[in-house]
Amino acid sequence: LAFCRVGEATVPGPTSFEEPSWTLPGKPAFVIGTGNPSGINNKLHTLESFPLGWFHLSETHASRSQQSMVQSHLRAVSARQNRNIRCCVGAPAPLRPGSQHAGSWTGVLNFGDCHLRQVPSFWPAGEYHSGRVMLTVAHIGNLQITSATVYCPAKGPSFAQATELAESLLEPVTEALVFGRAGARIICGDFNAPAGSLRQMQLWKAQGWVELQDLMHGLHSITPRPTCKGATAPDQIWCSPEIIPWISNVGLWQLYPDHDVLLAGLRLP
């Protein structure tokens, strides 16, 4: 037992995956993506396959010790692949009852081949410490992009008032990012709600923001596709007016069992 982790597969999965599938011709120089791995600890091998870009993951289930494992693994990937991958982690997920390592069903992080730093912000009801939201600034070439990584609660026995909780979680994001900052910005993650269905999303749309798949449908008549179990599209990337001119492509990457990774191709300035 000192050398085996009981309950985990001997071979957790493939160590390499097919490349992302892009809708329009051409391969983007840089990628922005969002995905839900439903727990990152037993899927660290997937990090080997991410292309050059900046990626936002929600529902990582990462406790403080598991966040350190993710960061260490990304440093190893960076060294093996001759990259310079940086990582930002949100508040650690609290430990599950009876476990010394496994985190509860929350957690956000992002990582990428660019300089990253977290943005200090005011969270009136401790939203940051819920492990469901984080603000980050990335410097990609000559372009500075500010992002929010979010994971809204799913409606169910644990969150009967999921819509109200999602609105409360996103309201500080609206104040800090949509109204409080300028320049290229994105809000991405698993919203557990259709695009445009929440009141905060309507406020974003009124300020000229567009969800990625809706944007590409309007520009190129690309039909939006589901990102979760072939049925719904809770995984979204909301784009501010300033970043829209730099977006060149859209894709879905079948990397995780339940959620596809939603990708935006970026045309670097």
Side-chain angles (χ1 to χ4, degrees):
L1 291 178
F3 301 98
C4 299
R5 290 183 290 180
V6 177
E8 292 200 18
T10 304
V11 180
T15 56
S16 62
F17 301 86
E18 292 184 2
E19 291 190 356
S21 174
W22 295 99
T23 306
L24 298 175
K27 186 177 179 180
F30 198 89
V31 179
I32 291 178
T34 186
N36 181 336
S38 301
I40 192 62
N41 187 47
N42 61 346
K43 301 182 180 73
L44 292 179
H45 58 285
T46 64
L47 302 178
E48 307 274 349
S49 301
F50 279 81
L52 190 74
W54 182 26
F55 302 96
H56 303 68
L57 300 184
S58 55
E59 199 187 358
T60 62
H61 301 175
S63 63
R64 187 175 300 278
S65 63
Q66 291 172 336
Q67 286 180 336
S68 298
M69 289 176 59
V70 172
Q71 292 172 311
S72 296
H73 191 84
L74 284 170
R75 284 194 294 269
V77 172
S78 185
R80 283 195 297 270
Q81 299 183 0
N82 195 26
R83 297 165 67 177
N84 189 15
I85 301 174
R86 310 291 183 90
C87 180
C88 283
V89 295
L95 294 174
R96 298 182 190 182
S99 174
Q100 297 298 316
H101 303 286
S104 61
W105 294 264
T106 182
V108 293
L109 67 85
N110 61 63
F111 63 92
D113 301 87
C114 51
H115 176 74
L116 299 176
R117 64 176 176 86
Q118 282 202 46
V119 179
S121 188
F122 174 66
W123 306 101
E127 291 84 1
Y128 175 81
H129 294 289
S130 70
R132 292 182 176 274
V133 64
M134 173 176 59
L135 298 185
T136 315
V137 167
H139 296 272
I140 305 167
N142 294 326
L143 189 62
Q144 177 178 293
I145 305 175
T146 309
S147 80
T149 312
V150 302
Y151 175 49
C152 295
K155 191 169 185 178
S158 299
F159 299 102
Q161 305 295 323
T163 300
E164 291 77 3
L165 290 171
E167 296 284 5
S168 299
L169 182 73
L170 296 177
E171 187 173 357
V173 175
T174 302
E175 292 295 329
L177 196 58
V178 178
F179 294 114
R181 296 182 74 95
R185 292 154 291 164
I186 54 174
I187 304 172
C188 51
D190 181 355
F191 292 86
N192 275 307
S197 62
L198 299 176
R199 186 173 63 87
Q200 297 303 314
M201 295 175 177
Q202 294 297 323
L203 292 175
W204 305 344
K205 292 175 72 173
Q207 298 300 313
W209 290 58
V210 187
E211 200 283 318
L212 175 65
Q213 294 210 69
D214 291 340
L215 171 67
M216 299 307 283
H217 177 68
L219 293 177
H220 302 284
S221 300
I222 299 171
T223 302
R225 292 183 289 169
T227 65
C228 179
K229 301 178 181 178
T232 59
D235 307 281
Q236 301 157 25
I237 300 177
W238 285 83
C239 309
S240 74
E242 296 88 348
I243 199 174
I244 288 175
W246 305 112
I247 294 176
S248 61
N249 211 333
V250 62
L252 288 179
W253 190 15
Q254 296 181 347
L255 184 64
Y256 298 119
D258 294 333
H259 292 255
D260 293 344
V261 179
L262 177 64
L263 303 171
L266 206 64
R267 183 188 304 110
L268 293 178

